[in-house]
Amino acid sequence: MGYVKKRKPRIFNFIILFLGIGLVISGITFGVKAIISGGYPKEMMQVADTNKDFGKHKKQRSKDDFNYYVLHYPNTKVKELDQWIETEMKNTVNAYGEAALKEDETRTQIKQDYQSKKINDQYVAVQLDTYKDNVLISKDARVFDINANSFVDGSIFKPLAQRQLTQWVRNNINQPLTQDLIRKLVVNSNTEALYMDETNLYFLFENEAIAYQFGDNPNYFNETFANINPSNDDIPSTYLDYGYEATDKMVAFTFDDGPHGDHAFEIMDIFEKYNGQVTFFILGHRIPTRESVVKAVLDQGHQIASHSYDHPNFENLSIDEIKHQLDTTEALVKDATGYDEPLFVRPPYGAISSSQLQQMTIPFINWDVDTQDWQLTNPKSICEIALRDIQDGSIVLMHELYSESVESLDCIVSELDKQGYQFVTVKELFKAKGVEAKPGAIYYYVD
C-alpha cells in the first residue's frame, strides 16, 4: 500500500492568505499615511470636532527649517470672508518664519484651529485660534453679513452703547486692568474682532472671547441685528478711564460748584483740543434743570464727582447730615444720567474733621494747587499762579461758575501741554500712579 500525503485543512490556507493580505494593506496604509502626513506631528492634524457648522474643513500645511505649520480653516465660499482667512494664515506663517530651533532641535508646532457658524441665514461667523506648541497665542474672528455684503463691526451700536459695552468688556475680561490693557479695551465703530452664535455676540480682546447676550439691550442697536429690533429707550451714561502711562507727567484739573449752563461746555471744548479730561465737583441743588449738562459731562469722557447738595461746612454737620447731603446728590446724578456708582467727594471749603473721615466709606479729594480763581478777576493772574504751582500729580482747584476761570484755561493748558503734561480725571490720576483711593481718606495730590 503506497504512502498517501495528508492534506492540510483548507481553512488554514485561508487564514494564511487573510493575514498576508492584512499585512500588505497595513503596510500600504502606513505608507499612505506617512506620505499624507509628510512627517507632521499627529496632534497637528487633529482639530476639535465641535463648532464647525459651516464651510468645508480644509487644511494648509507647510514647514521650514524651524517650524511646522498646519492651519485648519473653513472654506466658506463667501469671497470676502475667505480672503480674510487667507490673509490671516499668510500673516501667521510670516510671523514665525525666523524662529530658532528649540533646545532639543525639534521644530516649533504652529497650529490653527477654528470655529464657524451660520446664523439666521444672514450671518457667517468664523473664529481662528492659533497655537504654538499647544499654547494659545492668538485669537481673531469676523462676522460677515450676507444681506449687507459687509463685515459686522462696532458701528451697529449707538455711540453711548459703545461706551457701555466698553465698560462691560472691562468688567468681564479675566485679566488685571493695567493702564496698557485699559487703552486696548475699547468698543467703537472700528471694532471688528467679533464672533457670534444664535444668542451671543463675542468681543475678542487679548485672546479672550467675551460673550455679550445681544438680546438684553435692544436700545443699544442702530438698526435691526439678528432679528433684534432697536428701541429708543435711554442709554445710561457711564464713566470710562482712558488709560495713561504712569511715567507721563499728568495733572488733574477740577471744577467746583457747577453744573453751569454754558461754562461746562466751554471747559470741555478747551480740554478736547488737548485730548484731556477733567473732573467736575457739582452741587446737588444745581442739577435740576441742568440734567443735560451732567449727562454731557459723562458722555464726553469727564468725571462727575460730588461737592455736597448745597455747600454747607461739613464740620458743622452730624455724620447723618453729611451722608444725607451726599446721598441726595448721588440720587440726583443717577436720575439725570443713569450713572449708578459712588462719587468721589470734595467737602465744601475743603473742610472735614478727622473723626468725621473715619466714619465715611468714600474717598475725599481736596487740592494742592489753588488758582485763587474764586477771588481773582484777572485771567492772566490765574494762569500765572497755576503755572507756578502745578507739578506732576497735582490736583488743581478751579471753579466752574466764573468766566475768568474759563478765560484763563487756554493760557494754562497750552503751556502745560508744551511741557509734556497730560490732563486726566482724578480717577485716572489715581490709577495711573498706582495709588488706591481709600475710603475715609482725604487726598491733596497723587504721587
Side-chain angles (χ1 to χ4, degrees), residues 115-264:
Q115 300 181 53
S116 60
K117 290 187 73 69
K118 189 173 186 181
I119 301 97
N120 298 341
D121 291 326
Q122 181 177 355
Y123 305 97
V124 177
V126 173
Q127 178 176 308
L128 304 178
D129 298 329
T130 305
Y131 298 84
K132 180 179 179 181
D133 289 333
N134 298 315
V135 176
L136 179 69
I137 55 173
S138 72
K139 186 185 290 284
D140 203 356
R142 292 292 185 274
V143 176
F144 191 80
D145 184 338
I146 296 172
N147 293 351
N149 195 37
S150 63
F151 287 99
V152 173
D153 57 35
S155 65
I156 62 174
F157 297 109
K158 299 171 184 174
L160 291 183
Q162 293 172 6
R163 292 177 59 81
Q164 285 286 345
L165 289 168
T166 295
Q167 188 63 60
W168 177 83
V169 165
R170 292 175 180 180
N171 289 341
N172 285 276
I173 197 164
N174 293 314
Q175 300 179 40
L177 282 180
T178 63
Q179 289 295 301
D180 182 59
L181 186 57
I182 286 172
R183 288 194 294 274
K184 295 177 182 178
L185 298 181
V186 177
V187 176
N188 56 32
S189 295
N190 296 320
T191 300
E192 295 181 310
L194 303 169
Y195 185 73
M196 71 179 291
D197 55 28
E198 289 77 6
T199 57
N200 294 301
L201 192 64
Y202 298 84
F203 294 88
L204 273 66
F205 287 101
E206 299 298 289
N207 295 342
E208 288 189 37
I210 307 167
Y212 167 72
Q213 194 163 332
F214 52 72
D216 286 349
N217 298 99
N219 57 328
Y220 280 14
F221 292 98
N222 281 315
E223 56 191 30
T224 299
F225 178 77
N227 295 330
I228 302 296
N229 294 317
S231 69
N232 293 320
D233 298 339
D234 286 341
I235 298 173
S237 298
T238 188
Y239 170 79
L240 293 177
D241 291 315
Y242 282 75
Y244 289 83
E245 293 286 353
T247 55
D248 294 331
K249 288 196 298 184
M250 56 187 67
V251 55
F253 279 84
T254 65
F255 296 86
D256 285 8
D257 296 344
H260 186 279
D262 298 318
H263 291 167

Side-chain angles (χ1 to χ4, degrees), residues 402-417:
Y402 308 128
S403 59
E404 292 83 4
S405 302
V406 179
E407 292 168 13
S408 72
L409 282 177
D410 264 322
C411 169
I412 301 170
V413 178
S414 62
E415 178 58 32
L416 291 175
D417 179 66

